[in-house]
Amino acid sequence: MRKLYPKLAATNIRNNKQFYLPYLLAGGLSAAMLYLVMAMAYNPGLQEMNGGETVAATLLLGVTIVRVFAAIFLFYTNSFIIKRRKKELGVYNILGMEKKHIAKVLTLEMLFTAAVTIAGGLAFGIVFNKFFAMLLYRMTGLDAAIPFMISVEGVRGVIITFVIIYAAALCYNLMQIRLANPIELLHGGSKGEREPKTKILLTLIGLAALGGGYYMALAVEDAVSAITLFFVAVLLVIVGTYCLFTAGSIALLKLLRKNKNYYYQPKHFTTVSGMIYRMKQNAVGLANICILSTMVLVTVSTTVCMYLGIEDMLKERFPKEIIATAYYNAMPEHPESLDVAMEDSIKASGRVVTARHAYLNMSMTAVRKESGFSVTGIGAGTDYSIPDVALLEVVTREGYESLTGNTVAPLEEGEIAVAATPFYEGETLEFAGKTYNVKESAGYPEDEDDYLTSIAGGGAYLIVPDETEFAQIFERLGQNWDQERVTLRIQYDAGYEIDGTAEEKLAAERAVRDAAAAWETATASEDASYSGIFLECREENRSDYYSLNGGFLFLGLFLGAMFLMVTVLIIFYKQISEGYEDKERYAIMEKVGMSSAEVRRAIRSQVLTVFFLPIVVAVVHIIIAFPMIKYILSAFSLTNTTLFALCVAGTALVFFIIYLLVFILTSRSYYKIVGNQV
């Protein structure tokens, strides 16, 4: 008797291999993915490398996501299998097996499944760990030997995670058996056949949620708002998608049925009536496919764009190869000495300065007014919105020309020039307690416009005639400035582009840092107004950018592959489920007089509609989300909209091709089950 249950469990799995093989394969791949991510995240060698901590933190985020989605889709697949097997279990019950005996068989089946999944996943992960680690290091620019090792953290994490998942699935299965009587078990696989009711309220909720999410995505105008509202918009779109697939689709089909001219046609009659008849159980699966497809498109396209746009991000974040900023609490006596020290050190290192700027400025956040800009009204309790905020920079005419290369007409006392986005159209401008005549107004420099408008409501350069007027503005601002909230300081910025290879630039940047330290020591003893210095070098930060964005790309492709696997699995089981349900239905159609050709057309119409509807909606989702994601990317200094558009289009094309192949392969299973109707 003891040997009977294991044999029966093994036989059941073998007899239901068309259900269990994809289940085992998906579970094994999920376990392998979890092991690989954990093994790389906890790799002690990764922590010791430059940029390794950033990559490890990115991978740990992926660990949580893999665990959550593994639990969701394995539980979803298990619920499908137990539903298809209820008739079989009902037969066991009628033939004399008690529910406790059936429970033992189900428990052994789950133990076999868990053992194969965990062992297979760990074996795959351990064997291919080095390969994926090499791929990760290649993407992130890390350079180190990768020894073969077995991650204890990865093994432990996989075992604990999947034991919990399969234990929860087993409890669900046992509950289904415990609560059902034999007759219910015999007909359990046929539940959900009743025509669903029209749920107007749920449809309206779906329209409102989807409309709200779409509005947020389209109305956002800056990166701060985009980041703040992104997860709210995502949640609304998910809710709206589920509601409209489950209730809205039924309401639409019933409206089509009421249209007699449309409905009472052979090609429409069978399609509409058939989809209404089974839409209740189809809808959740279709919504899942739609959401997962959207996740694949967003995750992969965004991370690919971030990786391909690293150079753009570096140039946006570091406008010059070397940027030195000295801070002063009062008007400095000889700020140009910083420029001299920096340029001398660059030349001494053997490099040539190919472009430069050096200028005095004051940077601050301001609020737009009809008559100009206010910098004293920003603080706690102030009522203003992000589009009203401008990043303001006060510069001299000579400094602005050095920075941008643009020519500004000579300015007299009381005159000012403005370069702003949006364009400043006033003839006068109030600022720092004084009204200036605007002699010249221009747009914000093009190379800074996109980035600035993404993180605030725009920016503005207030260009004054000379250092005398510059010093007077600083003095007037200081009289009403809240130094506890934010410090008002004068800055001297010096930036340089240099020639040379990456190694030569790094050598020059090290020399510049030494020169900056010597200059700071001398200046601090000579100029009481001196406050400090900040030095940034593009080449020094390149490895960090490649580590971060390479880690995101690896994780994005990894998660994209997992989302795609879940999508394929749901599609496969949906096709099988529909095949068994439709086989008898289409046989009845032929018996009542429909020709084989009409039945084939009805089948193809429904299959094509149901299969491609989720991908169409997913593409609409990502098109609507495009502006919001674009602003989020700009917060990472990536403002290349064309690159992002190409990444989205390329990802959508590749995904559609894969989706089409999945359709072709899974349709064969569907048509094989349906039989001679096709």
Side-chain angles (χ1 to χ4, degrees):
M1 190 68 178
R2 292 180 179 178
K3 296 181 179 180
L4 174 64
Y5 296 123
K7 287 183 179 180
L8 190 58
T11 302
N12 288 341
I13 293 175
R14 186 168 55 252
N15 291 340
N16 291 281
K17 60 184 177 181
Q18 71 271 32
F19 302 140
Y20 274 99
L21 282 179
Y23 184 47
L24 293 171
L25 180 62
L29 289 176
S30 300
M33 285 183 172
L34 181 59
Y35 174 82
L36 289 169
V37 177
M38 293 189 72
M40 287 181 281
Y42 290 104
N43 188 322
L46 184 66
Q47 304 285 345
E48 298 173 1
M49 286 183 286
N50 183 30
E53 291 184 0
T54 303
V55 178
T58 306
L59 292 174
L60 287 174
L61 173 64
V63 170
T64 302
I65 298 174
V66 171
R67 279 175 166 163
V68 170
F69 274 89
I72 291 173
F73 85 81
L74 286 178
F75 200 88
Y76 172 88
T77 306
N78 171 77
S79 64
F80 167 83
I81 293 175
I82 196 65
K83 180 180 178 181
R84 296 307 313 171
R85 294 189 59 205
K86 278 186 177 180
K87 185 175 181 179
E88 171 193 338
L89 298 176
V91 171
Y92 288 156
N93 204 182
I94 290 175
L95 292 177
M97 288 184 67
E98 297 180 21
K99 288 185 177 180
K100 64 180 181 180
H101 301 140
I102 296 175
K104 288 182 180 180
V105 174
L106 292 179
T107 301
L108 289 171
E109 290 177 4
M110 193 62 73
L111 288 174
F112 292 161
T113 302
V116 171
T117 296
I118 295 173
L122 287 175
F124 182 92
I126 291 170
V127 170
F128 287 94
N129 181 33
K130 186 170 182 177
F131 170 78
F132 281 98
M134 291 171 62
L135 181 62
L136 172 64
Y137 283 23
R138 176 74 174 175
M139 288 181 176
T140 56
L142 300 176
D143 185 18
I146 307 171
F148 177 82
M149 61 177 293
I150 297 176
S151 172
V152 177
E153 292 85 355
V155 172
R156 182 169 55 242
V158 168
I159 293 175
I160 293 174
T161 300
F162 282 84
V163 165
I164 292 173
I165 292 174
Y166 285 118
L170 176 61
C171 291
Y172 172 82
N173 294 348
L174 296 179
M175 188 65 66
Q176 293 292 307
I177 301 303
R178 179 181 177 82
L179 297 178
N181 60 49
I183 302 301
E184 289 176 340
L185 288 174
L186 283 173
H187 296 282
S190 302
K191 288 186 178 180
E193 293 289 338
R194 295 181 180 178
E195 180 181 305
K197 296 179 180 179
T198 305
K199 299 177 181 178
I200 301 298
L201 179 60
L202 197 59
T203 302
L204 294 176
I205 292 174
L207 288 171
L210 191 64
Y214 278 7
Y215 176 78
M216 289 181 184
L218 294 173
V220 69
E221 295 181 349
D222 56 82
V224 176
S225 299
I227 294 172
T228 304
L229 298 175
F230 179 74
F231 289 104
V232 178
V234 168
L235 181 61
L236 288 174
V237 169
I238 291 175
V239 171
T241 300
Y242 277 105
C243 289
L244 291 180
F245 268 98
T246 55
S249 58
I250 295 170
L252 176 61
L253 289 168
K254 289 191 175 182
L255 284 176
L256 293 175
R257 189 171 65 179
K258 289 181 180 180
N259 186 338
K260 296 182 179 180
N261 293 330
Y262 177 88
Y263 182 63
Y264 289 109
Q265 296 181 23
K267 62 181 180 179
H268 295 155
F269 178 85
T270 53
T271 300
V272 173
S273 60
M275 290 184 68
I276 289 176
Y277 190 70
R278 65 183 182 181
M279 199 59 192
K280 182 178 180 180
Q281 65 185 45
N282 266 342
V284 174
L286 295 177
N288 287 333
I289 294 170
C290 178
I291 296 300
L292 288 167
S293 299
T294 307
M295 287 180 176
V296 173
L297 294 175
V298 171
T299 303
V300 176
S301 62
T302 302
T303 52
V304 168
C305 181
M306 290 180 67
Y307 188 76
L308 296 179
I310 289 177
E311 292 302 320
D312 291 335
M313 296 167 71
L314 282 167
K315 290 179 181 178
E316 192 75 63
R317 175 61 184 81
F318 306 98
K320 292 288 190 292
E321 186 69 49
I322 299 171
I323 303 173
T325 302
Y327 297 95
Y328 299 89
N329 296 320
M331 195 67 184
E333 298 177 5
H334 301 289
E336 66 279 357
S337 62
L338 174 63
D339 182 29
V340 174
M342 295 293 99
E343 195 156 0
D344 287 347
S345 66
I346 292 172
K347 292 178 179 178
S349 68
R351 305 275 54 81
V352 175
V353 176
T354 57
R356 62 178 292 277
H357 70 252
Y359 69 107
L360 279 172
N361 69 89
M362 284 181 281
S363 298
M364 61 202 75
T365 305
V367 175
R368 286 189 180 84
K369 304 292 183 182
E370 291 185 6
S371 56
F373 296 91
S374 171
V375 294
T376 58
I378 302 180
T382 304
D383 184 18
Y384 64 89
S385 61
I386 288 177
D388 296 328
V389 175
L391 301 181
L392 195 65
E393 197 162 342
V394 181
V395 297
T396 64
R397 173 174 168 268
E398 181 182 0
Y400 181 78
E401 291 179 342
S402 171
L403 175 66
T404 65
N406 299 332
T407 302
V408 179
L411 301 171
E412 303 294 335
E413 184 180 353
E415 291 182 336
I416 197 171
V418 182
T421 180
F423 193 85
Y424 186 79
E425 299 179 352
E427 295 182 356
T428 61
L429 184 144
E430 292 183 4
F431 180 71
K434 183 175 179 178
T435 301
Y436 293 91
N437 293 320
V438 179
K439 185 171 184 179
E440 184 178 326
S441 188
Y444 207 79
E446 292 184 5
D447 59 342
E448 301 180 52
D449 188 30
D450 288 342
Y451 174 65
L452 209 55
T453 53
S454 69
I455 62 175
Y461 281 104
L462 302 187
I463 307 163
V464 299
D466 49 37
E467 291 185 5
T468 301
E469 183 64 32
F470 183 91
Q472 291 174 359
I473 290 175
F474 179 77
E475 184 178 351
R476 292 199 304 271
L477 286 174
Q479 293 174 0
N480 299 312
W481 197 270
D482 185 0
Q483 293 285 354
E484 293 184 0
R485 182 173 57 83
V486 61
T487 304
L488 175 65
R489 292 184 295 192
I490 292 174
Q491 298 173 203
Y492 185 81
D493 288 333
Y496 311 90
E497 285 289 355
I498 60 176
D499 69 345
T501 64
E503 292 76 13
E504 291 170 339
K505 288 180 179 180
L506 283 172
E509 289 168 3
R510 287 192 290 268
V512 166
R513 288 199 177 276
D514 293 338
W519 175 87
E520 181 177 29
T521 301
T523 303
S525 62
E526 297 173 0
D527 191 341
S529 65
Y530 174 75
S531 176
I533 188 173
F534 182 67
L535 187 65
E536 290 185 313
C537 302
R538 186 191 298 158
E539 197 61 42
E540 286 181 350
N541 287 275
R542 188 179 301 277
S543 61
D544 289 338
Y545 270 68
Y546 272 93
S547 296
L548 178 63
N549 292 289
F552 277 135
L553 175 61
F554 181 84
L555 185 58
L557 295 177
F558 217 71
L559 295 179
M562 182 170 189
F563 296 152
L564 182 60
M565 180 179 67
V566 178
T567 304
V568 171
L569 192 67
I570 292 174
I571 291 171
F572 174 77
Y573 282 118
K574 190 179 73 66
Q575 292 281 55
I576 292 178
S577 176
E578 291 180 8
Y580 283 114
E581 292 164 4
D582 291 347
K583 181 176 182 178
E584 186 175 340
R585 187 177 305 147
Y586 288 125
I588 293 173
M589 288 181 181
E590 286 190 335
K591 291 177 181 178
V592 298
M594 289 184 67
S595 67
S596 295
E598 289 173 333
V599 173
R600 282 195 294 270
R601 283 197 297 269
I603 291 175
R604 288 170 183 166
S605 176
Q606 290 192 42
V607 169
L608 289 172
T609 301
V610 169
F611 199 87
F612 286 101
L613 181 62
I615 188 66
V616 171
V617 177
V619 170
V620 173
H621 283 347
I622 195 170
I623 290 174
I624 298 297
F626 187 91
M628 177 173 277
I629 299 175
K630 181 190 72 173
Y631 280 117
I632 293 174
L633 289 175
S634 68
F636 293 90
S637 304
L638 182 56
T639 59
N640 192 334
T641 304
T642 302
L643 175 63
F644 181 47
L646 290 174
C647 290
V648 171
T651 303
L653 178 61
V654 172
F655 182 76
F656 180 78
I657 293 172
I658 296 174
Y659 196 85
L660 186 62
L661 292 174
V662 172
F663 167 70
I664 294 171
L665 294 174
T666 56
S667 293
R668 291 178 181 176
S669 300
Y670 174 87
Y671 291 145
K672 185 177 180 180
I673 294 170
V674 171
N676 62 4
Q677 280 75 26
V678 295

